[in-house]
Amino acid sequence: MHRFVPATLLLFLHLEHPVSRVFPEDSVGLVQPELAHFKEPLALACGRQLDEYELVYETYGTLNDSRSNAILICHALSGHHHAAGYHSESDRKPGWWEACIGPGKPIDTNRFFVVSLNNLGGCNGSTGPASLNPATGRLYGADFPMVTVQDWVHSQARLADRLGIEQWAAVVGGSLGGMQAMQWSIEYPERLRHCVAIAAAPRLSAQNIAFNEVARQAIISDPDFHDGHFLAHNNIPKRGLKLARMVGHITYLSDDAMGQKFGRERKSEQLNFDLSSVEFQVESYLRYQGEEFSTRFDANTYLLMTKALDYFDPAAAHGGDLAKTFAAASASFYLISFTTDWRFSPERSQEVVNALIAADKQVSYVDIDAPHGHDAFLIPHPRYLQAFSSYMNRIEI
Amino acid sequence: MHRFVPATLLLFLHLEHPVSRVFPEDSVGLVQPELAHFKEPLALACGRQLDEYELVYETYGTLNDSRSNAILICHALSGHHHAAGYHSESDRKPGWWEACIGPGKPIDTNRFFVVSLNNLGGCNGSTGPASLNPATGRLYGADFPMVTVQDWVHSQARLADRLGIEQWAAVVGGSLGGMQAMQWSIEYPERLRHCVAIAAAPRLSAQNIAFNEVARQAIISDPDFHDGHFLAHNNIPKRGLKLARMVGHITYLSDDAMGQKFGRERKSEQLNFDLSSVEFQVESYLRYQGEEFSTRFDANTYLLMTKALDYFDPAAAHGGDLAKTFAAASASFYLISFTTDWRFSPERSQEVVNALIAADKQVSYVDIDAPHGHDAFLIPHPRYLQAFSSYMNRIEI
C-alpha cells in the first residue's frame, strides 16, 4: 500500500526544507548495489576460464544470526541485480521484481535476507562482454567466453561463500532464473532447502531454440555488430537488438493478452496504406519496446543469455532422464506455471514435477490461471501472489 | 502413385533416344504459364490505381462446354501461379499444391478446370514491385501501390472475364488464399457456388500483426533495402528477408512438429560453445530456409503481402459483425482447420463458421487432427486429403 500524503502538505514540506521521498510501505525503499571482486579463476563449461571477475549484487532485509533466512534471486534473460526498491529518491521505476519482493510480499523482507545479483556475462555491472579484459586491457566484446547456467550457479556459490551463507533458505527464479534454481538443487544439494522455479522448463524445445536463433541472427547480421567488437568501433547493433527484442517480446505475451491490450486498435481512424506509417497500436508498442531495449542492453550479453538458455539441459548428462538428474537433490521443490504461457507452457513445468515425483522428491506445483503469458511471473496477479506467498511463508528459518 | 520404371531400363532408353520423362500418374504433368495483359485501369483500396498490369496464370484440366467446372486457386503469402505439375522435363519440384491438385486428387483435374494465378504485387510474373512502371520507365520498387485482398479479388474477377468464366464452381485457398476465397463470397456472391477456406482467419490477431511487423522491420531496417529501391541500387536486402522468413517459418510449424522433426538434435556430438557454429539442427534448418527464400523472393512483395494480411478485415465495414458481412453471400462454404495450427488456430475458422451459421448460410467444417501446424494445408495428410476430396467430389458441375 502507498502511504498517502495530501499534495498540499507535500508542497508545504518542500518549501520548508528538502524532504525524504516517501516510498510505498511494502517496498524495500532505497537500495544500493554492492560489488564483489573474485580473484580465484572460474573454470567454465566451455573449457575456458575467467581469471578474475566481479559480481554486482543487492541485498534486502537482514541476515539472521543463524544465517538461515537467505534467499537467492536468479534473474532471467534481460534481468539484473536490481530486483526490488529504488536506487535514488528521484528513481521512478523500482526493481524488476518489486511485485514479489518486499515487506509482506511473497519474498517477505521482514523474514528473509534477499540476495540478488547480475550474472556473469551480464551488462549491468557484473563482468561481461562490455567489461575490460584484464589480460588485454581492451574490452572483451566477442572475446567474452560463453557462460552456462552451470557456470552461473558456480559463481553464485562463490558469492554465497563471500556473504557467509552456507545454505540458502531458498533459491528462487522465473524463466531462465528458474533454470538456475533447478541447477542449484542438482549441483549443490546441501546448499538450499527450497527450490522455487517459476515459468521455467527443463530444457528448451526446438521452437524455443528457433526463436533464440532468429534473435541472434538479427544481431549478428547487423552490419554494426562488427563481429561482436562494436564497442571498440564506437557503435552498437541497434537494429539487430531491436528486432531481437521485438520477436522475444511477442513470445513473452499471450495471444489473448495482446488481443486484450491492443486487438486491432488503430493509431488513427483512417488507414494510411503505406509502409512508413504505423497502422495498428501493437506495431507502435513493439517498436517502442525494441527501441527502448536496444539503447540499454548489450548485444553480446543478449547473445550469451540466449545461448545459455539453449545449452541448458541438465538431463543430457543422464541420458535424458530427468528423474535421474534430480536423484541427489534434497531440496523441497515448488513449481509455478501460468495457463497462457506458451514460451514455457504449463506442460514444461509438469515434466519437472513428474520427474521429481518419480525421483521421490518433495514437490508442490500450482498452475495459475493468468492471462499474461510468460510475463505473468513479473506481474502482481492476486492468485499468483497468494500461491507464491503461501509457500514462502511456510519456509522455516 | 509413381509409375515405377527400373533404373536399367531408363538407362537403356536414354542411350537409344531422348525419352519423355514419365511424370507421376496423379500429376497434371507438364504445364506452361500464360500471361494476361489488362489495359483497363484498376482502382485500388489505397486510393491509387494501376493503369495497366499483367497477371501470370496456369490452368490444369479442361473447361467444360457449360463452363461450370472452373476452380480458382488463391495463393498464400509466398505462393504463386505454379500450383501443380512441372515446368520442364528436368523440373524436379512440382507446383506448391501438387498434394491437392491433379487427377484423382481433392481438386480433381479429371473433373475440374483449375485456374491458378500470381497475385498483383507478386514477384513471380504478375505486375509487382520488381516490374517496370510504364509511367516512369523505371522499376516500381517502393512506388508499387499497396494492394489488398479486395484488390486481388477484383483483378481475379477480370481474369475470370478474360477466360469466359462467369461463375466459379469453387474459389479455393489456404491461409491468405482462404481470405481471398471468403472475400469472393462477399464481393461477387453470384460468381461462385462454393467457397473453400483452409487454415484461414476472418482477420489477423494482434499477435499475427506483431509477427508481420517484426518481419517488415527486419527488411526495412536492412541497410541494403534502400527505402525499397534496392533493385535500382543493384542490391537486395538479403539479411532482412532471411530474418523475415525465419520468423515466419517458425509460425508455420507447430511446436510439436518442430520437436518431432528436430528436438534438440545436434549438428555434432560435441558442443562448440561459440556463436559461429551451429549447435542444433533446428538452427541449421531455419538458416537454410531463410537463406534460400532470400535469394528467390522480392522483399517489397513480402512487405506488401504482410500488409495485405494485416488489412484484411471484411467485418470492419459492418461494425465488426461477421454474420452481417456474409449476409449477401450465396455460396456454400467449406472450412478446414488443423488442430496444431497456432498461426490461424481452429478457433479462428470457428469464428467464421459461427458467423455463417448466424447468417443462415450453408456451411461445412472439419478440424483435422494433424501435427504439422499451419503448413498442414500444403501437406498430403490422409485425413485432410480425404475430407477435402469428399467435399470437392460432391460439387456439381
Side-chain angles (χ1 to χ4, degrees):
Chain A
M1 269 167 294
H2 290 253
R3 194 176 285 166
F4 200 81
V5 182
T8 46
L9 178 61
L10 274 174
L11 184 68
F12 176 71
L13 289 169
H14 185 69
L15 290 171
E16 285 294 289
H17 52 82
V19 63
S20 292
R21 170 164 169 204
V22 181
F23 291 108
E25 267 180 13
D26 63 355
S27 174
V28 296
L30 264 188
V31 297
Q32 291 301 331
E34 295 176 72
L35 205 59
H37 195 102
F38 297 86
K39 291 196 174 286
E40 188 193 348
L42 183 74
L44 304 170
C46 66
R48 296 171 60 190
Q49 69 169 34
L50 282 170
D51 292 333
E52 53 180 309
Y53 56 93
E54 290 181 321
L55 294 177
V56 64
Y57 66 98
E58 292 181 1
T59 68
Y60 322 119
T62 310
L63 187 62
N64 62 11
D65 292 342
S66 57
R67 297 170 178 271
S68 66
N69 69 335
I71 304 265
L72 175 67
I73 306 294
C74 303
H75 70 74
L77 203 155
S78 61
H80 44 66
H81 56 292
H82 183 40
Y86 299 82
H87 276 166
S88 70
E89 303 240 331
S90 60
D91 200 353
R92 289 176 56 188
K93 220 177 133 193
W96 59 267
W97 223 7
E98 182 76 4
C100 295
I101 303 170
K105 289 181 180 169
I107 300 169
D108 188 345
T109 48
N110 290 331
R111 292 186 73 222
F112 293 118
F113 174 67
V114 180
V115 178
S116 171
L117 82 160
N118 184 214
N119 277 330
L120 273 179
C123 55
N124 291 84
S126 290
T127 302
S131 307
L132 270 184
N133 180 350
T136 65
R138 291 194 299 273
L139 300 176
Y140 275 107
D143 297 332
F144 196 84
M146 202 66 80
V147 282
T148 65
V149 168
Q150 206 176 16
D151 298 328
W152 287 333
V153 167
H154 292 163
S155 66
Q156 290 159 2
R158 291 203 181 159
L159 179 63
D161 296 342
R162 180 74 56 93
L163 297 173
I165 297 161
E166 270 181 48
Q167 185 187 62
W168 300 103
V171 179
V172 181
S175 191
L176 176 55
M179 293 170 166
Q180 294 161 57
M182 288 190 274
Q183 187 68 36
W184 263 94
S185 77
I186 298 161
E187 198 85 4
Y188 300 113
E190 74 294 346
R191 296 199 70 173
L192 69 164
R193 298 197 301 283
H194 295 269
C195 168
V196 180
I198 307 172
R203 68 182 72 82
L204 293 204
S205 69
Q207 190 190 69
N208 294 149
I209 295 173
F211 276 121
N212 280 347
E213 175 63 6
V214 172
R216 284 191 294 265
Q217 288 300 316
I219 292 169
I220 291 170
S221 70
D222 185 331
D224 292 332
F225 181 63
H226 297 287
D227 289 328
H229 294 290
F230 47 89
L231 290 180
H233 285 78
N234 266 323
N235 212 338
I236 55 167
K238 205 169 176 306
R239 286 170 296 225
L241 197 52
K242 179 179 170 181
L243 288 170
R245 182 60 165 187
M246 285 173 76
V247 72
H249 204 83
I250 299 175
T251 71
Y252 305 150
L253 303 183
S254 70
D255 190 14
D256 278 358
M258 273 195 146
Q260 280 163 28
K261 203 165 174 178
F262 306 106
R264 295 180 54 86
E265 203 185 318
R266 299 212 191 123
K267 280 290 276 186
S268 56
E269 205 165 317
Q270 286 298 310
L271 290 170
N272 298 289
F273 292 110
D274 62 45
L275 286 162
S276 47
S277 310
V278 171
E279 300 283 25
F280 298 100
Q281 292 289 3
V282 66
E283 299 172 282
S284 173
Y285 170 77
L286 263 195
R287 287 188 199 179
Y288 173 80
Q289 292 290 334
E291 189 73 25
E292 188 269 337
F293 188 75
S294 69
T295 60
R296 72 174 164 87
F297 207 81
D298 181 73
N300 282 316
T301 292
Y302 200 86
L303 296 173
L304 290 180
M305 295 282 161
T306 62
K307 290 300 270 186
L309 274 162
D310 286 9
Y311 288 131
F312 180 71
D313 186 10
H318 303 270
D321 187 331
L322 204 54
K324 275 191 195 154
T325 310
F326 286 114
S330 59
S332 292
F333 289 82
Y334 187 42
L335 282 100
I336 304 178
S337 61
F338 301 95
T339 50
T340 56
D341 184 354
W342 63 279
R343 184 179 175 87
F344 296 149
S345 72
E347 288 73 23
R348 314 303 308 281
S349 286
Q350 287 155 24
E351 279 178 59
V352 178
V353 172
N354 291 337
L356 289 166
I357 291 171
D360 203 22
K361 303 297 165 188
Q362 195 168 330
V363 54
S364 302
Y365 165 61
V366 61
D367 184 30
I368 302 284
D369 193 357
H372 322 91
H374 187 61
D375 262 1
F377 81 93
L378 298 166
I379 292 169
H381 188 61
R383 277 168 189 255
Y384 167 46
L385 295 184
Q386 194 182 0
F388 195 178
S389 290
S390 152
Y391 187 88
M392 296 304 292
N393 289 341
R394 284 198 305 269
I395 293 179
E396 286 174 24
I397 53 174
Chain B
M1 269 167 292
H2 290 253
R3 195 175 283 165
F4 199 82
V5 183
T8 45
L9 179 61
L10 274 174
L11 183 68
F12 176 71
L13 289 168
H14 185 68
L15 290 171
E16 285 294 289
H17 52 82
V19 64
S20 292
R21 170 164 168 205
V22 181
F23 291 108
E25 267 181 11
D26 63 354
S27 174
V28 296
L30 264 189
V31 296
Q32 291 302 331
E34 296 176 72
L35 206 58
H37 196 101
F38 296 85
K39 290 196 173 288
E40 189 194 348
L42 184 75
L44 304 170
C46 65
R48 295 171 61 190
Q49 70 170 33
L50 281 171
D51 292 333
E52 51 180 309
Y53 56 94
E54 289 182 322
L55 294 176
V56 64
Y57 66 99
E58 292 181 359
T59 68
Y60 322 119
T62 310
L63 188 61
N64 62 11
D65 292 341
S66 57
R67 299 171 177 271
S68 67
N69 71 334
I71 303 265
L72 176 67
I73 307 293
C74 303
H75 70 73
L77 203 155
S78 61
H80 44 67
H81 56 291
H82 184 41
Y86 299 81
H87 276 167
S88 70
E89 303 240 331
S90 60
D91 199 354
R92 290 175 57 186
K93 219 178 136 193
W96 59 267
W97 223 6
E98 183 75 4
C100 295
I101 303 171
K105 289 181 180 169
I107 299 169
D108 188 346
T109 47
N110 290 331
R111 292 186 73 221
F112 294 118
F113 174 66
V114 180
V115 178
S116 172
L117 81 161
N118 184 214
N119 278 329
L120 274 179
C123 55
N124 291 83
S126 291
T127 302
S131 307
L132 271 184
N133 180 350
T136 64
R138 290 194 301 272
L139 300 176
Y140 276 107
D143 297 333
F144 196 84
M146 202 66 80
V147 282
T148 64
V149 168
Q150 204 176 18
D151 298 328
W152 287 333
V153 167
H154 292 162
S155 66
Q156 290 160 0
R158 289 200 182 161
L159 180 63
D161 296 342
R162 180 73 57 91
L163 298 172
I165 296 162
E166 270 180 46
Q167 186 187 63
W168 300 103
V171 179
V172 182
S175 191
L176 177 54
M179 291 170 167
Q180 294 161 58
M182 288 191 274
Q183 187 68 37
W184 263 95
S185 77
I186 297 162
E187 198 84 6
Y188 299 113
E190 75 294 346
R191 296 198 70 172
L192 70 164
R193 297 198 300 283
H194 295 268
C195 168
V196 181
I198 307 171
R203 68 182 73 81
L204 293 204
S205 69
Q207 190 190 69
N208 293 149
I209 296 173
F211 276 121
N212 280 347
E213 175 64 5
V214 172
R216 284 192 294 265
Q217 289 298 317
I219 292 169
I220 291 171
S221 71
D222 185 331
D224 292 333
F225 181 63
H226 297 287
D227 289 327
H229 294 290
F230 47 89
L231 290 180
H233 285 77
N234 268 322
N235 213 338
I236 55 167
K238 205 167 175 310
R239 287 170 295 225
L241 198 52
K242 181 178 170 184
L243 288 170
R245 182 61 164 186
M246 287 172 75
V247 72
H249 204 82
I250 299 175
T251 70
Y252 305 151
L253 304 182
S254 70
D255 190 14
D256 278 359
M258 274 195 144
Q260 281 163 27
K261 203 165 177 178
F262 306 105
R264 295 179 54 85
E265 203 184 318
R266 298 211 193 124
K267 280 290 277 187
S268 57
E269 205 165 317
Q270 286 298 310
L271 290 170
N272 298 289
F273 293 109
D274 61 45
L275 285 163
S276 47
S277 310
V278 171
E279 301 283 24
F280 298 99
Q281 292 290 5
V282 66
E283 298 173 282
S284 173
Y285 171 77
L286 262 195
R287 286 188 199 179
Y288 173 80
Q289 291 290 334
E291 190 72 24
E292 189 269 337
F293 187 76
S294 69
T295 60
R296 72 173 163 89
F297 207 81
D298 180 74
N300 282 316
T301 292
Y302 201 86
L303 296 173
L304 290 180
M305 295 282 161
T306 61
K307 289 299 270 187
L309 275 162
D310 285 9
Y311 288 132
F312 180 71
D313 187 9
H318 302 270
D321 186 331
L322 205 53
K324 274 191 195 154
T325 311
F326 285 114
S330 58
S332 293
F333 290 83
Y334 187 42
L335 282 100
I336 303 178
S337 61
F338 301 95
T339 50
T340 55
D341 183 355
W342 63 279
R343 183 179 176 88
F344 297 149
S345 72
E347 287 72 23
R348 313 303 308 281
S349 286
Q350 287 156 22
E351 279 178 60
V352 178
V353 171
N354 290 337
L356 289 167
I357 290 170
D360 202 23
K361 304 296 165 187
Q362 197 168 327
V363 54
S364 302
Y365 166 60
V366 59
D367 185 30
I368 302 284
D369 193 357
H372 322 93
H374 187 61
D375 262 1
F377 80 93
L378 298 166
I379 293 169
H381 188 60
R383 276 168 190 255
Y384 167 45
L385 295 183
Q386 194 183 359
F388 196 178
S389 290
S390 153
Y391 187 89
M392 296 304 292
N393 289 342
R394 284 199 305 270
I395 292 180
E396 287 175 24
I397 54 173

